Amino acid sequence: GFHLSGTVTEPATATEPEMTYKVAISFDRCKITSVTCGCGNKDIFYCAHVVALSLYRIRKPDQVKLRLPISETLFQMNRDQLQKFVQYLITAHHTEVLPTAQKLADEILSSNSEINQVHGAPDPTAGASIHDENCWHLDEEQVREQVKLFLSQGGYYGSGKQLNSMFAKVREMLRMRDSNGARMLTLITEQFMADPRLSLWRQQGTGITEKCRQLWDELGALWVCVVLNPHCKLEEKSCWLRQLRKWGEMDVCPLEDGNYGNELPNITNALTQSSGHSQDSLARPRRTVFTRAIEGCDLHWQDSHLQRIISSDFYMSPSYQREGESLLFNSQGQPLWLEHVPTACARVDALRSHGYPREALRLTVAIINTLRLQQQRQLEIYKHQKKELLQRGATTITNLEGWVGHPLNPIGCLFLTLTEACRLEEENCLEISDSGDSKPPVYQHVPVLTSSQDSGESYLSLALEVALMGMGQQRVMPEGLYAQDKVCRNEEQIIARLQDLELDPVLVQTLRKQCILLLEGGPFSGLGEVIHRESVPMHTFAKYLFSALLPHDADLAYKLALRAMRLPVLETTAPSGDVTHPHHLVSVVPSRYPRWFTLGHLESQQCELASTMLTAAKGDMLRLRTVLEAIQKNIHSSSLIFKLAQDAFKIATPADSNSDTTLLNVALELGLQVMRMTLSTLNWRRREMVRWLVTCATEVGVRALVSILQSWYSLFTPTEATSIVAATVMSHNTILRLSLDYPQREELASCARTLALQCAMKDPQNCALSALTLCEKDHIAFETAYQIVIDAASTGMTYTQLFTIARYMEHRGYPLRAFKLASLAMTHLNLAYNQDTHPAINDVLWACALSHSLGKNELAAIIPLVVKSVHCATVLSDILRRCTMTAPGLAGIPGRRNSGKLMSTDKAPLRQLLDATISAYINTTHSRLTHISPRHYGEFIEFLSKARETFLLAQDGHIQFAQFIDNLKQIYKGKKKLMLLVRERFG
């Protein structure tokens, strides 16, 4: 039958009652061509009821009654039976069928209706004609709706995952050779091209978002896969080509490499790339995400050599032909396939995706044999040029196109094809690029099916070999943020897959052999002795190799990792390269710093590699030395070296066991380098770095501390040296931590004092106080520090600094020295009439109180300085009041006699202070009255009351004050309201 119908009952659940659905399915030549179900569920996949009915028919064919097509049955009925049949049918479904039945009856009775022009009538149960299209049922509307919905969510709510699973569905359809695969991909692409964000991104000039970019990449790769179907019809291919061109010509179509044009060769080019590469980016053709698929339409599978490769495991050249060069076979007679590598790998992906895994595997082996031969030939070429290249110290790269991060992911494709053949699983499931499976796959060795059985090679060892070849390929960093980011991402994906491999002796042997080839590979290997300045760095790859090799061949592991530490793009000058072959040059005039958008990430990877080596070399002084030298030579960022120093320190000082001195010394040396690097440049972490260094040196021991104290000037600023370094070294905690004996303590203290005096000489402003504090316990050093302060006081120091040191001196019991410094501070100070809240007022009051307590002479010496520096009336009257309250000289300096009498304001030195205070009040009053507003009148009257108190301290004070008030009334008679208030208060 061509039509299956049935009822499906869904049992009741806790929340839903039992439901029955009517299902109808049409099929043709083993494919379901249409479905309908009463559940009304809309999805791109069949609903559970359709699946249930189909499975029931497949598993229990004898339970399903087979009937003739309905037209045959009707043919056997007479007129009465037909009438009865139609009436019963209409009655059974009168609500749905009656309008249709009425319409049909009218048309049949009308002689010239359309229905009467055609012989016979349709029969849905009779099946299609042999010439009709027959393909699986796909609900196109649903596909459109779902893709549109997922795109509108912009990568949120797991929509990216949903779209990836739709791509996986397309791959699954291709593998099952379901012709709907390409149809579904077309529907998906149409929705992608209609995404309103594309024109928005284009207008704003912003790049497509990261998640969206990856989806477009997968879309492009799938189209390459579709057009490379080895068994598609020519008309299908030309139809796809028309579509792809139409999409590619739309101005919103995303470009292959993000926002930049690209210098990559055409997909159909052979391996040699000696044509001149245009430097002018405007001259480059525009490459969209569909360009590779469009180019792929030119590829075919008719080549007889290719056909023989993919159709037999035992295709070899006859042994008598194995002498001399051949483009088709290697010297062992195994077939080669000399196509542009990413293109050849795209063929492998197409075979694998269209359900031809054996063929994919055979082509993969031929490609690997070709890559091996290339590697051998490149080694031979390099041996001839080695001397010249090493002398020049630079190279011109031949690989303009890197395989890692390539839009077609050639290395990932070969690796997957090979490992899939070795997976220990019931079904060889095709992996999705972002598969979320937690447990790693398990692989076994499957021997390579060639006629030379003794080679002992397995598909698994080939997978490892090709991944290492691809990752180790020396290649130029591509242009543009997206392409550069993709290089990093692809590298991490391949390494993650490599880490799933259990390294047994066979794989270790492959690993070692390939690593040696990479080290000897000259300019063709990213780990060769000479590399191009803009070569993609190998740090991430080398970190994997180092960890994998370490247990089996430590020397090789270190040699490799140390070689990979370089980052030539950061070296200051760019070697000009070989201009005699301009077509090999990446850029004719290398810029000083090319636009490496991922540089920060690359530098942190370089740091990770160094950290891995440091950890592994713990306890081995020789190895640590070489790693340290590599760090000092290759890492140019102070914050990264600081991170390495911290890492080394952490590993060297485990909480549960003794410190490792070898690694501690490395941490210290790195720390010292950071100090030297950041000494003259601003770094916001500098204080943290200095503190850390002292901690590290303390952990190393007393000799390290002595050393940093003695060479402070090359490591620290004077302020850091005194306030952080020496202060920490001399702290109680440090002495306890090191459990020092007396001579050691003395040696440290002596070094700290020498440092303090040197710093005080160099920067007295900021270091004098710290120097005095550090020298307290040594009389000679303390005196020297004091002398440095006195010498610097007249020129290089501010009143704040001098007052601070003066107070410190008083606190230490040197009141006369404190007085001397306070006097020096006063000469630097100037307080205007209106600065009655100035922060220095407290210092001035303290200095006057100190002088007063020392005696009449000191007071007499400071008052002229106060009068000269302070013009603020309230401050002066405050000083005057304090000086008249108690007798001077109460400090009781030994050897001095004090009369114990209060001082008079009529005699010197207070007379001078009183006059200055009165004159300050007069000046301030005039200044305030020039611009006074009514709301300040009350405050002004209070100010005059204070002034009167001071005036009255003079002998003829009341007369002076009365004259002063009269004078005011005369000058400011215009301010009637204010003068009224003055009269009320002062008469």
Side-chain angles (χ1 to χ4, degrees):
F2 297 98
H3 188 273
L4 174 69
S5 53
T7 52
V8 177
T9 305
E10 201 166 307
T13 63
T15 50
E16 299 288 325
E18 179 180 284
M19 298 289 279
T20 302
Y21 300 103
K22 291 198 169 81
V23 183
I25 300 173
S26 303
F27 50 95
D28 178 11
R29 282 160 275 186
C30 300
K31 297 186 184 80
I32 291 176
T33 53
S34 75
V35 302
T36 50
C37 176
C39 73
N41 272 0
K42 288 282 177 200
D43 197 357
I44 58 171
F45 309 125
Y46 300 148
C47 68
H49 316 112
V50 168
V51 174
L53 183 63
S54 310
L55 288 175
Y56 186 78
R57 168 66 182 77
I58 292 164
R59 288 175 186 169
K60 303 186 176 175
D62 46 348
Q63 303 278 316
V64 179
K65 197 166 181 191
L66 190 61
R67 300 175 181 278
L68 288 170
I70 196 82
S71 50
E72 295 287 326
T73 313
L74 294 174
F75 188 69
Q76 293 167 17
M77 295 184 191
N78 62 26
R79 167 106 190 38
D80 289 348
Q81 286 172 316
L82 280 171
Q83 173 122 16
K84 200 171 200 172
F85 173 77
V86 172
Q87 281 182 243
Y88 266 97
L89 185 63
I90 291 170
T91 308
H93 301 284
H94 67 274
T95 49
E96 299 112 281
V97 176
L98 196 58
T100 313
Q102 199 65 64
K103 182 169 163 279
L104 286 173
D106 293 345
E107 285 187 15
I108 286 171
L109 293 175
S110 159
S111 58
N112 56 358
S113 69
E114 203 174 321
I115 215 168
N116 286 326
Q117 313 299 315
V118 182
H119 287 292
D123 177 2
T125 61
S129 111
I130 190 76
H131 303 297
D132 285 3
E133 269 295 304
N134 68 318
C135 62
W136 287 88
H137 170 67
L138 178 73
D139 188 338
E140 299 192 356
E141 196 43 49
Q142 262 323 100
V143 175
R144 287 193 194 97
E145 285 305 309
Q146 294 233 297
V147 178
K148 199 180 199 166
L149 173 71
F150 294 144
L151 282 172
S152 71
Q153 291 168 351
Y156 304 107
Y157 320 112
S159 57
K161 248 193 191 121
Q162 303 278 8
L163 287 164
N164 269 322
S165 75
M166 287 180 94
F167 289 147
K169 191 75 192 163
V170 171
R171 282 196 183 270
E172 192 188 323
M173 288 161 125
L174 297 180
R175 200 167 77 249
M176 304 305 291
R177 304 181 200 167
D178 173 355
S179 58
N180 272 331
R183 179 77 199 120
M184 181 152 158
L185 188 59
T186 304
L187 297 169
I188 293 174
T189 310
E190 281 168 353
Q191 290 310 309
F192 265 70
M193 288 301 295
D195 187 344
R197 291 176 299 171
L198 287 180
S199 52
L200 201 70
W201 283 324
R202 191 167 174 274
Q203 282 160 11
Q204 294 167 347
T206 51
I208 299 180
T209 58
E210 185 60 23
K211 276 184 180 155
C212 210
R213 252 304 356 165
Q214 291 171 22
L215 292 168
W216 275 102
D217 280 354
E218 177 62 4
L219 194 67
L222 271 173
W223 272 114
V224 173
C225 231
V226 166
V227 302
L228 283 180
N229 178 351
H231 294 294
C232 69
K233 302 189 190 82
L234 265 176
E235 54 268 29
E236 277 182 308
K237 204 185 244 188
S238 56
C239 170
W240 294 330
L241 184 59
R242 273 199 308 279
Q243 267 180 341
L244 290 164
R245 282 198 175 131
K246 188 185 85 192
W247 291 325
E249 281 159 13
M250 290 167 73
D251 54 6
V252 293
C253 185
L255 300 181
E256 177 174 78
D257 57 350
N259 335 9
Y260 288 77
N262 211 336
E263 222 170 312
L264 297 185
N266 180 302
I267 191 170
T268 49
N269 275 11
L271 282 167
T272 51
Q273 296 161 11
S274 55
S275 59
H277 284 283
S278 150
Q279 293 308 314
D280 181 6
S281 58
L282 297 173
R284 299 178 197 159
R286 176 170 174 268
R287 293 186 65 85
T288 72
V289 285
F290 301 117
T291 304
R292 288 182 189 271
I294 291 169
E295 292 167 356
C297 290
D298 296 339
L299 298 174
H300 61 80
W301 297 83
Q302 271 75 59
D303 184 278
S304 59
H305 180 57
L306 176 63
Q307 283 298 328
R308 288 192 189 112
I309 290 173
I310 62 178
S311 56
S312 161
D313 287 315
F314 305 109
Y315 172 43
M316 304 282 283
S317 69
S319 50
Y320 59 83
Q321 285 180 358
R322 291 181 195 171
E323 294 304 307
E325 290 282 293
S326 157
L327 287 177
L328 301 182
F329 301 93
N330 64 13
S331 55
Q332 288 88 52
Q334 295 162 314
L336 303 172
W337 181 242
L338 259 76
E339 192 171 28
H340 172 234
V341 177
T343 311
C345 297
R347 286 187 190 272
V348 171
D349 192 30
L351 287 169
R352 187 173 143 262
S353 301
H354 286 285
Y356 302 100
R358 299 277 351 135
E359 289 82 347
L361 215 46
R362 289 169 188 145
L363 183 54
T364 298
V365 174
I367 293 170
I368 290 175
N369 283 326
T370 314
L371 290 176
R372 283 171 170 171
L373 188 64
Q374 252 184 293
Q375 201 178 36
Q376 279 172 314
R377 287 192 185 154
Q378 287 171 344
L379 269 174
E380 282 155 28
I381 295 170
Y382 173 54
K383 276 176 190 148
H384 293 300
Q385 304 173 337
K386 188 170 184 172
K387 203 169 157 200
E388 175 203 347
L389 277 174
L390 287 176
Q391 274 171 347
R392 215 172 49 216
T395 171
T396 51
I397 283 195
T398 48
N399 296 322
L400 282 170
E401 186 173 43
W403 300 331
V404 173
H406 190 283
L408 297 172
N409 188 12
I411 300 301
C413 160
L414 297 184
F415 185 82
L416 268 182
T417 308
L418 291 160
T419 49
E420 258 168 28
C422 305
R423 274 185 90 138
L424 266 177
E425 274 178 353
E426 283 71 64
E427 72 277 19
N428 257 356
C429 65
L430 216 82
E431 290 181 49
I432 310 161
S433 52
D434 293 311
S435 56
D437 47 343
S438 46
K439 67 174 181 46
V442 183
Y443 300 109
Q444 60 183 1
H445 283 286
V446 176
V448 176
L449 284 171
T450 55
S451 53
S452 54
Q453 285 299 318
D454 55 340
S455 67
E457 280 185 336
S458 79
Y459 291 120
L460 201 56
S461 62
L462 286 188
L464 176 62
E465 184 179 346
V466 80
L468 300 178
M469 266 188 193
M471 298 275 284
Q473 175 210 30
Q474 183 178 192
R475 53 199 181 266
V476 172
M477 179 63 82
E479 281 184 39
L481 167 63
Y482 180 69
Q484 292 174 11
D485 190 50
K486 201 162 162 185
V487 168
C488 300
R489 248 201 345 266
N490 194 203
E491 194 171 38
E492 280 158 14
Q493 284 164 351
I494 295 171
I495 287 173
R497 293 191 186 283
L498 284 173
Q499 282 165 337
D500 287 341
L501 300 181
E502 284 284 322
L503 292 180
D504 59 15
V506 177
L507 293 183
V508 169
Q509 193 186 347
T510 307
L511 178 71
R512 286 191 58 200
K513 184 177 154 208
Q514 199 48 240
C515 285
I516 292 164
L517 284 170
L518 287 172
L519 280 172
E520 292 172 357
F524 303 99
S525 153
L527 292 162
E529 279 172 278
V530 278
I531 52 167
H532 188 281
R533 182 167 169 264
E534 291 179 36
S535 183
V536 171
M538 294 278 137
H539 308 127
T540 315
F541 179 42
K543 187 178 142 194
Y544 161 75
L545 293 177
F546 178 78
S547 304
L549 273 173
L550 197 61
H552 311 288
D553 187 340
D555 287 341
L556 185 58
Y558 278 100
K559 187 177 178 190
L560 215 143
L562 289 165
R563 170 87 50 92
M565 271 296 290
R566 60 201 168 183
L567 188 50
V569 77
L570 289 182
E571 304 309 328
T572 43
T573 51
S576 56
D578 181 3
V579 192
T580 52
H581 304 293
H583 57 261
H584 280 314
L585 274 178
V586 176
S587 48
V588 174
V589 187
S591 58
R592 175 141 285 192
Y593 282 112
R595 297 185 65 183
W596 280 32
F597 297 95
T598 51
L599 194 57
H601 170 76
L602 297 170
E603 282 190 283
S604 67
Q605 288 301 308
Q606 181 189 32
C607 178
E608 286 285 305
L609 173 61
S611 186
T612 308
M613 282 196 279
L614 282 176
T615 310
K618 178 177 172 176
D620 183 335
M621 204 54 234
L622 255 172
R623 291 236 197 263
L624 281 172
R625 274 281 128 214
T626 48
V627 177
L628 181 64
E629 279 161 24
I631 291 168
Q632 289 170 330
K633 180 172 173 238
N634 293 299
I635 298 186
H636 303 284
S637 150
S638 56
S639 54
L640 288 176
I641 297 180
F642 182 47
K643 184 187 177 303
L644 279 174
Q646 289 176 301
D647 286 355
F649 182 75
K650 229 175 253 164
I651 301 156
T653 53
D656 49 357
S657 62
N658 295 337
S659 301
D660 178 85
T661 45
T662 55
L663 199 49
L664 254 181
N665 280 307
V666 168
L668 180 64
E669 206 158 324
L670 289 170
L672 294 171
Q673 188 185 345
V674 173
M675 288 297 106
R676 288 190 284 268
M677 286 170 89
T678 55
L679 179 58
S680 52
T681 55
L682 286 171
N683 189 308
W684 61 277
R685 295 182 66 190
R686 175 79 189 170
R687 277 183 81 82
E688 178 198 350
M689 290 168 168
V690 174
R691 287 210 159 91
W692 178 86
L693 186 83
V694 179
T695 308
C696 181
T698 308
E699 204 57 46
V700 174
V702 72
R703 301 290 359 123
L705 289 175
V706 168
S707 165
I708 64 168
L709 291 174
Q710 286 175 342
S711 55
W712 70 268
Y713 45 86
S714 65
L715 304 169
F716 315 109
T717 63
T719 318
E720 289 167 347
T722 52
S723 63
I724 305 177
V725 183
T728 313
V729 171
M730 295 312 295
S731 71
H732 187 57
N733 281 355
T734 306
I735 290 163
L736 278 181
R737 175 87 189 83
L738 290 170
S739 49
L740 302 178
D741 56 21
Y742 183 73
Q744 288 175 317
R745 278 209 298 252
E746 270 313 290
E747 183 186 12
L748 268 186
S750 163
C751 289
R753 288 193 291 268
T754 308
L755 169 147
L757 295 174
Q758 289 170 342
C759 293
M761 287 290 287
K762 203 171 165 67
D763 183 2
Q765 285 199 323
N766 296 308
C767 300
L769 186 59
S770 303
L772 285 164
T773 313
L774 286 163
C775 296
E776 276 172 6
K777 293 199 173 81
D778 184 286
H779 179 66
I780 297 171
F782 188 76
E783 289 304 309
T784 313
Y786 174 64
Q787 201 46 54
I788 292 170
V789 176
I790 296 297
D791 293 346
S794 53
T795 51
M797 298 184 77
T798 65
Y799 62 81
T800 316
Q801 290 162 335
L802 289 168
F803 275 132
T804 309
I805 298 170
R807 288 191 163 201
Y808 161 81
M809 280 294 180
E810 187 202 24
H811 179 68
R812 295 274 307 135
Y814 294 102
L816 287 168
R817 287 181 175 187
F819 167 71
K820 184 169 184 180
L821 288 164
S823 306
L824 285 166
M826 287 302 297
T827 60
H828 292 268
L829 180 67
N830 187 15
L831 275 185
Y833 77 90
N834 56 356
Q835 288 184 296
D836 50 0
T837 56
H838 193 283
I841 291 172
N842 278 336
D843 289 322
V844 174
L845 293 174
W846 167 81
C848 292
L850 172 72
S851 312
H852 184 264
S853 73
L854 289 173
K856 201 169 173 177
N857 294 345
E858 282 77 12
L859 191 59
I862 207 149
I863 279 176
L865 299 176
V866 171
V867 167
K868 195 174 171 198
S869 301
V870 181
H871 308 289
C872 180
T874 48
V875 177
L876 289 168
S877 64
D878 201 0
I879 297 170
L880 188 60
R881 189 174 52 77
R882 290 169 188 231
C883 289
T884 53
M885 280 164 65
T886 54
L890 294 181
I893 297 288
R896 285 196 185 181
R897 284 176 53 241
N898 286 312
S899 63
K901 285 198 304 195
L902 292 176
M903 291 173 78
S904 158
T905 51
D906 286 348
K907 297 194 184 109
L910 292 189
R911 178 66 208 235
Q912 193 187 353
L913 182 58
L914 176 61
D915 290 348
T917 312
I918 288 173
S919 113
Y921 268 120
I922 292 169
N923 291 337
T924 306
T925 302
H926 288 302
S927 297
R928 288 181 74 163
L929 282 173
T930 49
H931 41 74
I932 191 167
S933 65
R935 70 167 191 274
H936 293 127
Y937 285 175
E939 195 187 312
F940 177 73
I941 296 294
E942 290 311 312
F943 174 75
L944 282 184
S945 301
K946 271 206 172 119
R948 180 164 62 179
E949 285 169 23
T950 304
F951 272 85
L952 293 179
L953 291 173
Q955 270 193 337
D956 54 351
H958 59 287
I959 299 168
Q960 271 192 33
F961 188 70
Q963 280 174 347
F964 172 51
I965 294 291
D966 284 346
N967 208 353
L968 288 185
K969 287 191 268 192
Q970 195 54 41
I971 299 172
Y972 302 102
K973 56 180 181 240
K975 299 187 186 292
K976 290 194 175 72
K977 192 171 177 197
L978 178 59
M979 290 308 126
L980 193 68
L981 293 172
V982 171
R983 255 189 223 96
E984 271 176 20
R985 176 71 70 93
F986 306 108

